Amino acid sequence: MNKVYAVGIGPGGREFFTEEAMQALENADVIAGYTVYVDLVRDLFPDKEMYTTAMKQEIERCRWAIETAKAGKSVAMVCSGDAGVYGMAGLLFELADQYGDVEIEVVSGVTAAISGAAVLGAPIGHDFCLISLSDLLTPWELIEKRLRCAAEGDFAVCLYNPRSKKRSDYLEKAVKILMEHKSGDTVCGWVKNIGREGQEYRLVKLEDLPGEPIDMFTTVFIGSDSTRIISGRMVTPRGYEKRSEFQR
Ligand code: SAH
């Protein structure tokens, strides 16, 4: 069967793997992906063929998976979090279209926004959006526009790829744009190494985010106007407090 599974394995530890992800890895003849993610599953399947590539080799990696599937072996392409959220799922569909006769099956995983939110409390309990600050594939002007619209729409915002060595000032620029419509006091939080060794988090004000030790292994949460700190946790209420039964 000519099949490529796009498998999200969650943020890190085994406890985040879904049963469906495990089954896809078991079913596949080859497990492929960025070295760091393949290493996370290597000891579970010691006898399985593995194919790893360096970061930023996405097109080559996906083409290899499709060509290998076409040659008769099923391939599981592992991604962190969810394969469809800044992952390989979309690219696999786009490339498979050039070949035909290859099936892509997406296996959902726990994306960093979801696993990180659980660490902080309930920061995305109402309308929210995800924005990546990486301009490798997206023009910075479009990222700015989306930040501005998200702030104007009073969304809670999760930022992926918030800062790297090359893009050290992007978070600062993003905060400046968000503050055109959001107060500097807006409740925010960040979580680093979610589900991995060294997990840490902190709650901070929007205006203080740029000074925080945020890097590319961090997901940043920016509250909406109604986001509050309740018992030390970041919570975006959904509106239940307006109901009469809420009062005791
Ligand atoms: N497919 C992944 C996202 C890849 S984009 C997913 O669904 O989670 C990479 C960005 O995701 C990182 O820069 C970071 O902002 C976030 N991220 C992914 N894994 C993370 C983790 N374990 N801890 C904190 N942030 C993470």
Side-chain angles (χ1 to χ4, degrees):
M1 189 176 33
N2 300 326
K3 191 163 188 170
V4 181
Y5 298 93
V7 184
I9 58 169
R14 296 280 149 73
E15 65 276 25
F16 292 99
F17 286 29
T18 65
E19 195 56 42
E20 196 189 10
M22 274 300 195
Q23 267 166 29
L25 296 180
E26 236 164 70
N27 288 346
D29 298 309
V30 194
I31 296 177
Y34 170 43
T35 318
V36 174
Y37 305 135
V38 171
D39 283 347
L40 287 171
V41 301
R42 201 181 280 281
D43 55 329
L44 286 177
F45 305 98
D47 302 326
K48 203 159 289 235
E49 190 183 333
M50 304 276 169
Y51 177 81
T52 61
T53 59
M55 213 161 71
K56 301 198 179 132
Q57 300 271 299
E58 293 94 342
I59 295 178
E60 186 269 314
R61 191 188 306 154
C62 288
R63 203 177 280 292
W64 183 91
I66 289 161
E67 285 171 0
T68 305
K70 272 202 85 93
K73 283 182 182 173
S74 59
V75 182
M77 174 70 75
V78 290
C79 300
S80 79
D82 182 86
V85 181
Y86 311 115
M88 298 291 98
L91 177 59
L92 281 168
F93 281 111
E94 288 177 81
L95 288 174
D97 197 43
Q98 297 176 352
Y99 291 78
D101 198 27
V102 178
E103 191 192 340
I104 309 294
E105 184 176 326
V106 183
V107 178
S108 62
V110 185
T111 189
I114 306 297
S115 52
V119 173
L120 295 180
I124 50 174
H126 200 265
D127 301 337
F128 72 99
C129 61
L130 299 182
I131 300 178
S132 165
L133 295 191
S134 166
D135 63 350
L136 284 177
L137 299 167
T138 308
W140 177 253
E141 296 69 37
L142 182 57
I143 298 172
E144 283 197 352
K145 180 178 169 190
R146 289 183 174 162
L147 288 165
R148 208 163 269 127
C149 290
E152 195 181 348
D154 192 30
F155 284 91
V157 181
C158 297
L159 297 179
Y160 281 34
N161 299 300
R163 187 183 266 156
S164 73
K165 283 195 189 100
K166 270 197 204 141
R167 300 177 285 109
S168 59
D169 61 335
Y170 283 24
L171 180 62
E172 204 171 332
K173 287 204 250 174
V175 166
K176 222 178 238 168
I177 292 164
L178 291 168
M179 280 177 55
E180 291 171 12
H181 293 283
K182 284 180 183 281
S183 149
D185 287 335
T186 304
V187 175
C188 296
W190 53 262
V191 194
K192 194 182 283 195
N193 294 317
I194 305 163
R196 301 180 185 162
E197 219 181 282
Q199 175 178 295
E200 53 176 320
Y201 72 93
R202 196 179 301 162
L203 300 186
V204 288
K205 288 184 196 171
L206 178 56
E207 63 190 9
D208 294 332
L209 266 180
E212 292 292 303
I214 288 163
D215 60 15
M216 64 182 289
F217 303 106
T218 309
T219 299
V220 175
F221 295 78
I222 292 140
S224 73
D225 197 36
S226 54
T227 304
R228 292 183 287 137
I229 297 180
I230 303 178
S231 303
R233 317 297 297 281
M234 180 175 175
V235 179
T236 302
R238 214 184 139 195
Y240 288 110
E241 73 279 6
K242 294 185 208 91
R243 291 271 183 88
S244 59
E245 315 92 282
F246 182 80
Q247 306 304 331
R248 62 176 297 218

